[in-house]
């Protein structure tokens, strides 16, 4: 067999935000990675634009917020169209508006600076697995002579980040159970039209949403109660959107200039497995859900953060047994929980007159502090807690709390990282020691201080909230692996998440 055109450790299919986030995480972890994308250039339309608190924390953990700047706040949140205060314990409470094209630009720049290669204008057509590798074939767009050329890539692993109609998922034979859409929301960005802003405005015949954005472009979204889901290939016609808008609201937008059209329904599907041998799925390739409240994009980015460091350790040969399988074990239930949340929201949002009583009840419940906090934490992604051993510290499995550091207690000088988030910039594990005195746990990390685990000794910034731990081991994705336990428990956590101890 002839040599492939490209040899790499990991092939990521899809250069949307999830694929680019994963590529950056892999490259940061020391893996050689290639990203394959069928598009030849950046997006020309505005798609997912809402970033929630946990995603902003992940960007902070990688030092990307400085480049992004402070994005505009996304306004009040909602649960199924009922206003919901998204305040959480995150420094990035609320929601933030970043156009998808800017998110992709940010993540692609980061990933390529770290060494990832992005190959555009190629469509995946075939996957063939072997015991130690996967070979992918992709077709390029036809050249000047009219003939398409093929590209062959051999990789140790392939990850499908190619969306809800994933070619990777189909070629690899992943089961994708769930249900098709029974309700649909039509969406259009329209110039040269004057309509009042509407926030989940209910009419006898349906639901209408409209908001004027930058440059005078108005985004309209409309659902007509009882209308069949469109089956035409591609996006809906503007005539269909305008006719539906007129029937629901009585307003005429037919004279406007449509810039972008699409629709999304309440379909709900999730891959039975996120990994089949050397092929994995992340983002919408692994789960298909209605993009209500901006949760779909954020769920996918959090998949990438969980998978990237684990797969990088696997291809570097430093992963312990079962590390890569923990991706499915952790992210599948996390995804299921979000999908159930979105399904409930879709019913409240798109249900007709028969759900008015349910919406009224939810409106009352959302005024209860514990209910509000619970739903806000789920939507923001800050309440994800991975499974921990019985008896472990209550933070184990949860994301690390945000702490600002004042000094390095070994030297009395300013600490390198200024916070618990900044301590994770290198993409390695981190032992954070706030004890203020020499601790046996620091010595226990020595066999892993070969580029896998760093140690930060610090004191919290004066006036900040009291820390919830004295010493904690953080995973590269910012989740707590161990806290305030015994040295043997710490060594067990180090072996589980960072592989065997180095020989002394």
């Amino acid at each position: 067999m002839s040599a492939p055109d490209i040899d790499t450790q990991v092939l990521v299919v899809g250069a949307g935000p999830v694929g680019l986030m994963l590529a950056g995480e892999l490259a940061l972890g020391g893996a050689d990675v290639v990203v394959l994308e069928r598009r030849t250039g950046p997006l020309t339309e505005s798609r997912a634009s809402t970033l929630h608190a946990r995603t902003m924390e992940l960007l902070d953990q990688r030092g990307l917020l400085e480049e992004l700047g402070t994005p505009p706040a996304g306004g009040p949140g909602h649960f199924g169209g009922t206003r919901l205060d998204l305040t959480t314990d995150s420094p990035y409470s609320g929601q933030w508006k970043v156009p998808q094209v800017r998110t992709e630009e940010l993540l692609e720049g980061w990933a390529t600076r770290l060494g990832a290669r992005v190959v555009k204008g190629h469509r995946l057509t075939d996957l063939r697995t072997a015991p130690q590798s996967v070979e992918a074939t992709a077709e390029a767009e036809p050249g000047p002579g009219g003939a398409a050329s093929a590209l062959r890539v051999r990789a140790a692993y392939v990850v499908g980040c190619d969306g809800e109609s994933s070619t990777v998922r189909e070629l690899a034979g992943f089961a994708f159970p769930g249900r098709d859409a029974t309700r649909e929301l039509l969406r259009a960005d329209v110039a040269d039209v004057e309509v009042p802003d509407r926030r989940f405005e209910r009419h006898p015949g349906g639901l209408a949403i409209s908001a004027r954005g930058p440059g005078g472009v108005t985004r309209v979204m409309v659902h007509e109660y009882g209308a069949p889901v469109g089956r035409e290939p591609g996006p809906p016609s503007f005539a269909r959107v305008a006719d539906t808008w007129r029937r629901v609201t009585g307003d005429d937008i037919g004279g406007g200039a449509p810039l972008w059209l699409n629709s999304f329904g309440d379909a709900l599907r999730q891959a039975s497995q996120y990994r089949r041998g050397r092929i994995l799925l992340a983002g919408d390739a692994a789960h298909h859900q209605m993009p209500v409240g901006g949760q779909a994009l954020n769920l996918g980015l959090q998949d990438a953060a969980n998978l990237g460091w684990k797969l990088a350790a696997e291809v570097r040969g430093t992963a312990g047994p079962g590390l890569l399988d923990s991706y499915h074990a952790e992210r599948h239930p996390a995804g299921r929980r979000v999908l159930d949340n979105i399904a409930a929201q879709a019913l409240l949002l798109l249900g007709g007159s028969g759900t008015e009583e349910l919406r009224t009840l939810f409106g009352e419940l959302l005024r209860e502090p514990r209910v509000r906090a619970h739903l806000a934490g789920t939507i923001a992604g800050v309440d994800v807690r991975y499974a921990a051993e019985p008896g472990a510290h209550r933070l184990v499995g949860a994301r690390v709390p945000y702490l600002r550091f004042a000094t390095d207690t070994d030297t009395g000088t300013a600490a390198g990282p200024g916070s618990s988030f900044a301590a994770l910039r290198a993409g390695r594990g981190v032992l954070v020691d706030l004890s203020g005195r020499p601790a046996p746990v620091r010595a226990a990390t020595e066999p892993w201080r070969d580029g896998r685990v760093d140690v930060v000794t610090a004191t919290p910034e004066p006036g900040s909230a009291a820390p919830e731990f004295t010493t904690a081991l953080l995973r590269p994705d910012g989740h707590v692996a161990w806290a305030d336990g015994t040295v043997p428990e710490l060594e067990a956590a180090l072996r589980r998440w960072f592989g065997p101890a180095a020989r002394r």
Side-chain angles (χ1 to χ4, degrees):
M1 182 179 292
S2 60
D5 299 287
I6 298 176
D7 238 322
T8 188
Q9 290 177 314
V10 182
L11 173 64
V12 176
V13 181
V18 175
L20 293 170
M21 180 80 173
L22 178 61
E25 291 291 319
L26 287 162
L28 185 66
D32 184 66
V33 56
V34 170
V35 183
L36 194 67
E37 171 56 50
R38 66 183 304 171
R39 285 182 287 145
T40 57
L43 288 171
T44 57
E45 67 273 354
S46 57
R47 294 189 179 180
S49 60
T50 299
L51 300 183
H52 288 305
R54 181 56 184 151
T55 298
M56 293 288 284
E57 291 179 357
L58 292 172
L59 295 178
D60 187 354
Q61 289 170 191
R62 296 300 181 253
L64 293 171
L65 287 188
E66 289 86 348
E67 183 178 347
L68 180 63
T70 303
H78 72 93
F79 186 89
T82 299
R83 186 172 179 136
L84 175 65
D85 176 5
L86 291 178
T87 300
T88 66
D89 65 349
S90 172
Y92 305 107
S93 271
Q95 53 187 353
W96 307 86
K97 301 303 288 185
V98 182
Q100 184 171 326
V101 64
R102 176 65 183 118
T103 302
E104 291 186 4
E105 178 186 56
L106 175 75
L107 294 175
E108 182 173 350
W110 174 59
T112 54
R113 288 194 301 271
L114 290 168
R117 293 171 285 169
V118 181
V119 180
K120 297 186 177 181
H122 287 76
R123 177 175 58 89
L124 181 72
T125 57
D126 190 41
L127 285 175
R128 296 181 183 274
T129 59
Q132 301 299 320
S133 64
V134 183
E135 186 168 293
T137 303
E139 288 187 1
E141 294 299 321
S149 60
L151 174 72
R152 289 173 52 238
V153 183
R154 183 171 58 202
Y157 290 89
V158 172
V159 186
C161 300
D162 49 342
E164 62 189 51
S165 300
S166 170
T167 302
V168 172
R169 188 183 66 230
E170 180 180 351
L171 291 174
F174 283 83
F176 200 47
R179 63 173 184 265
D180 293 331
T182 59
R183 301 179 181 90
E184 183 179 40
L185 198 64
L186 306 179
R187 178 165 58 177
D189 287 348
V190 187
D192 305 324
V193 66
E194 295 290 338
V195 296
D197 281 359
R198 294 176 165 93
R199 181 175 170 81
F200 304 111
E201 188 175 278
R202 295 192 174 277
H203 297 260
L207 173 76
I209 306 164
S210 57
R212 196 172 185 84
V217 175
T218 298
R219 171 162 291 185
V220 299
M221 292 187 279
V222 61
H223 167 69
E224 186 173 15
Y225 299 144
V229 175
R231 300 300 179 190
E232 67 267 32
S237 67
F238 183 54
R240 182 179 170 218
V241 175
D243 287 348
T244 305
W245 184 264
R246 177 182 48 77
R247 287 194 299 271
V248 170
T249 69
D251 291 343
D252 184 9
I253 61 171
L259 304 178
W260 178 53
L261 297 153
N262 85 333
S263 64
F264 51 88
D266 60 350
L268 200 71
R269 293 187 177 277
Q270 185 180 29
S272 298
Q273 303 164 277
Y274 282 12
R275 178 190 179 194
R276 294 195 69 190
R278 294 184 173 273
I279 303 177
L280 302 100
L281 303 175
D284 286 351
H287 38 77
H288 179 198
Q289 59 285 308
M290 186 176 179
V292 59
Q295 286 175 268
L297 169 63
N298 293 270
L299 181 63
L301 291 172
Q302 291 156 35
D303 288 344
N306 183 285
L307 174 59
W309 66 278
K310 297 174 180 178
L311 185 52
E314 186 73 25
V315 299
R316 288 198 327 266
T318 61
L323 179 65
L324 191 54
D325 286 330
S326 73
Y327 167 62
H328 169 88
E330 292 184 336
R331 292 307 298 170
H332 192 276
R336 183 72 253 170
R337 185 165 180 255
V338 172
L339 263 61
D340 290 344
N341 177 284
I342 289 174
Q345 290 197 62
L347 179 61
L348 291 169
L349 186 66
L350 304 182
S353 58
T355 57
E356 291 297 336
E357 296 83 0
L358 189 58
R359 276 193 290 273
T360 298
L361 175 61
F362 258 87
E364 295 173 358
L365 290 173
L366 292 181
R367 290 193 288 272
E368 293 292 327
R370 290 181 62 187
V371 175
R372 185 214 63 78
H374 173 82
L375 293 177
T378 301
I379 290 173
V382 299
D383 70 342
V384 172
R385 184 184 298 270
Y386 301 132
E389 295 294 326
H393 191 284
R394 63 183 185 82
L395 284 180
V396 174
R399 79 195 211 289
V400 60
Y402 181 74
L403 294 172
R404 290 207 58 81
F405 298 153
T407 59
D408 186 309
T409 56
D410 281 350
T411 65
T413 60
S419 71
S420 54
F421 290 177
L424 293 158
R425 297 280 162 86
R428 296 189 284 267
V430 178
L431 181 78
V432 177
D433 185 358
L434 306 177
S435 67
R437 59 187 183 279
V441 294
R442 295 210 295 274
T445 65
E446 283 295 336
W448 288 269
R449 294 184 68 179
D450 54 0
R452 288 178 286 171
V453 175
D454 296 331
V455 172
V456 170
T457 57
T459 57
E461 189 175 80
S464 60
E468 299 177 60
F469 61 85
T470 299
T471 312
L473 177 66
L474 312 184
R475 302 174 359 171
D477 57 359
H479 282 259
V480 178
W482 169 93
D484 292 344
T486 66
V487 168
E489 288 169 345
L490 171 60
E491 291 172 336
L494 287 161
R495 287 191 295 271
R496 178 183 181 188
W497 298 112
F498 302 103
R503 294 181 179 176
R504 303 189 184 190

